[in-house]
Structures are given as C-alpha cells and as structure tokens.
Amino acid sequence: MLEIRHLRTLSALRSAGSLVRAAQLLNLTQSALSHQIKLLEDRYGGPLFERKSVPIGFTATGARLLKLADLLLPEIEQAERDVARLSQGDQGQLRVALECHTCFDWLMPVMDEFRQRWPDVEIDLVSGFHSEPAELLRSGAADLVIGSDYSSEFATFPLFRFEILVVMAQKHRLQGARRLAAADFEGETLITYPVPEERIDLIREVLRPAGIHFERRTAELTVAILQLVASRRGVAALPNWAIKNYVDYDYVIAKPVGELGLWSDLFVSVPEALRQKAYVLDFVNVIREQCAASLDGIKLLS
C-alpha cells in the first residue's frame, strides 16, 4: 500500500538530490531508505528514478508519484500545524541569536518560509553577534540559538555537519599544498570574526595543540574577511558553504585541513520549556530541509 512516508521519501529525494542526503533528511539509514524504495519499485514494476543521473532524474512512474506528493504533503503538513495550533495555541515568540556568523547566508530564506507557515509567531533576530549566546538563553533575552551544542543545559536539535576550509589569496605560498597541516600556519596572519579564540575551531583543534605561533586580525563581515584574504593580508578558516561562490570565481583558493578535514557541527538550542513547541520543531525542520537542498558539502545530523 502506498503510504505517506513513501511520498515523503520521493519528495526528500528530489530536494536532497541524492540517496545519501535524502536518508539524512529523513533520519533513516541509507540501507533502510534503499529497502523502502525497492519495495515501491517492486510494487509498481519498474524504477522510480535514474540511479546514475545527477541530480536525480525521475522516471514517468516516479514523476507521477511526485505529483501526488506535491498535492497531498502540503495539505498534510498544514493539517498537522493546524492541529498543533489547536492544542498549543498559534501565537508565540522566537527571538533567534546566532553564534555562527556565516549562518546569515541561509537563515533569511528559512525565516521567510517559517513566517508563511506560522504567521502568528513573531520571529526576529537578536541584534549583533554574541560570543556567549548561551547567556542570552539563560537570561531570557533569546528563545533560540543557532551554534554549538549546549545539551547539558538546554534542549538541543542537531542540524548539520560542515567542513571548515582555509582560504588564501591566489599565488599564496601554500597554493600547491593538497591539504594543510598545523605547521603550515607558523607565522601566518589568521583573519577571524571578533570572537574568543576558544570559539574558533582551527585555533582550538589544530593550532593550539601544536603550539603554533600566528598573528590574528579580526573583521565583522564575511565579505570583509575575504577581501582581506584576497589582498594578501592573511588567511581565514570559513565554512564550505560560505566561500563556495568566491572559490568558484577564483577570487580565493580553498584548502582542507588535515587528512580527514576539519569539521564542525551546528545545532539549535532552546530552553527546555520550548522543547515540545510545534513551531520550534517546525523551525528546525525548515532549516534541515532548506539546507539539505541548497548547501553543498554538508552532512545532516541525526
């Protein structure tokens, strides 16, 4: 029997563009997702999509089921939100604070989508960047923080893992390196956001343990950091999604750090009192859905 979860699977495949990312989006193992698809294909007597096409191309059968998904899933999701409003109320406040400077790149479309789904929930950004955003949750000055995991104090929801890449100017002395090691940063100027050093993954995880000496310069905006890098004032360590366009247009060069890369995880944290609020859960879902579809090189966390 065709079930709602099957329609959600096909919709996730289209949004995510691959089996791996669709499985992450659905919180399934890849084998479980493959098994579900095989059962569907056995039922309908043929493939639902082309395995080797990038992005995924759907067969006539898959496209027809997707058309059904597009009709039914929005109605189901709206009904679920309506029921949540009836049981929890449809009004609230969501003041969002950012520990992650580059999150603005994808947060604005997320907030626009959320406002359409929850027009009576007032959502806004807490102005400025905050080196200790958990204090905003403790004091009640913010309702939700996007940043590190504060699971010992707050309710946390995993978002995604991303790679931190080091960007440098064209013809930098390290441009020929396949990957960078801690020693490569000796004597370099590291351009960062104005946050404590313990908040900077490259410093905390790589440079400090190796005893590397470096200079540090700060800038508030990502574009300002990249301009400084391009003008040979130093190097910077930034999320893969934040620098993709600059690298694609040869404005700067990007290099991974270490054999396994330097990775960081992003979470949503809220006070325990908001853990079960339907609009909070839906806000997390919107982030995961939109980022899975739009950000290259991330891995959704389960």
Side-chain angles (χ1 to χ4, degrees):
M1 180 181 297
L2 184 65
E3 301 176 20
I4 293 172
R5 65 190 177 101
H6 297 143
L7 299 179
R8 284 184 169 141
T9 291
L10 291 173
S11 182
L13 272 172
R14 179 178 58 192
S15 297
S18 72
L19 281 170
V20 173
R21 296 183 77 175
Q24 294 171 346
L25 186 58
L26 294 164
N27 287 324
L28 296 174
T29 64
Q30 191 173 344
S31 60
L33 179 61
S34 297
H35 180 68
Q36 185 185 126
I37 292 169
K38 183 179 185 304
L39 291 177
L40 271 178
E41 292 182 329
D42 289 346
R43 171 179 173 80
Y44 292 108
L48 300 178
F49 60 93
E50 303 295 336
R51 260 55 175 183
K52 295 182 179 180
S53 66
V54 179
I56 287 177
F58 289 86
T59 63
T61 301
R64 181 62 185 89
L65 293 176
L66 266 176
K67 185 177 180 181
L68 178 62
D70 289 340
L71 287 172
L72 292 183
L73 292 182
E75 290 295 322
I76 292 169
E77 291 163 1
Q78 183 62 54
E80 289 174 337
R81 288 193 290 273
D82 291 342
V83 170
R85 290 186 180 100
L86 291 171
S87 61
Q88 299 182 10
D90 61 356
Q91 295 183 343
Q93 180 176 249
L94 208 52
R95 294 163 298 168
V96 179
L98 297 176
E99 180 186 349
C100 163
H101 284 61
T102 50
C103 290
F104 273 122
D105 293 349
W106 50 259
L107 184 59
M108 294 300 104
V110 166
M111 292 177 67
D112 290 341
E113 173 66 20
F114 179 82
R115 288 188 179 102
Q116 292 183 33
R117 297 190 187 196
W118 296 89
D120 295 317
V121 175
E122 183 180 346
I123 183 170
D124 203 358
L125 287 172
V126 179
S127 61
F129 292 105
H130 309 277
S131 60
E132 295 292 342
E135 286 297 329
L136 298 175
L137 292 180
R138 294 188 190 102
S139 66
D143 306 298
L144 181 148
V145 167
I146 298 173
S148 302
D149 181 4
Y150 308 113
S151 57
S152 61
E153 298 180 72
F154 307 108
T156 61
F157 303 92
L159 295 178
F160 54 83
R161 174 168 294 169
F162 59 92
E163 188 173 11
I164 298 169
L165 299 173
V166 171
V167 289
M168 61 189 69
Q170 296 287 343
K171 298 183 180 179
H172 189 277
R173 65 180 180 85
L174 296 172
Q175 69 172 358
R178 185 177 66 89
R179 293 179 174 272
L180 301 181
D184 293 324
F185 295 89
E186 186 71 41
E188 279 286 347
T189 296
L190 183 63
I191 305 169
T192 76
Y193 298 107
V195 299
E197 288 192 354
E198 58 267 21
R199 293 282 184 192
I200 300 172
D201 298 80
L202 179 65
I203 296 176
R204 186 184 65 250
E205 303 292 334
V206 178
L207 304 185
R208 273 187 182 171
I212 300 300
H213 297 92
F214 59 94
E215 300 295 327
R216 186 182 174 201
R217 178 173 180 173
T218 64
E220 290 276 355
L221 302 175
T222 303
V223 64
I225 290 176
L226 288 165
Q227 286 173 343
L228 289 170
V229 168
S231 60
R232 302 182 182 280
R233 307 298 177 83
V235 299
L238 295 168
N240 49 9
W241 81 74
I243 62 173
K244 183 178 186 303
N245 288 339
Y246 297 92
V247 173
D248 288 347
Y249 285 97
D250 295 326
Y251 188 66
V252 291
I253 300 170
K255 299 289 182 180
V257 179
E259 287 303 314
L260 300 178
L262 179 61
W263 294 82
S264 186
D265 295 343
L266 205 59
F267 297 82
V268 160
S269 297
V270 298
E272 282 290 339
L274 296 180
R275 178 190 288 272
Q276 297 301 328
K277 284 289 186 181
Y279 61 80
V280 170
L281 299 175
D282 202 34
F283 184 69
V284 173
N285 287 335
V286 174
I287 293 176
R288 289 172 58 86
E289 289 168 4
Q290 293 213 0
C291 289
S294 63
L295 298 184
D296 292 332
I298 67 168
K299 301 177 182 179
L300 291 179
L301 299 171
S302 57

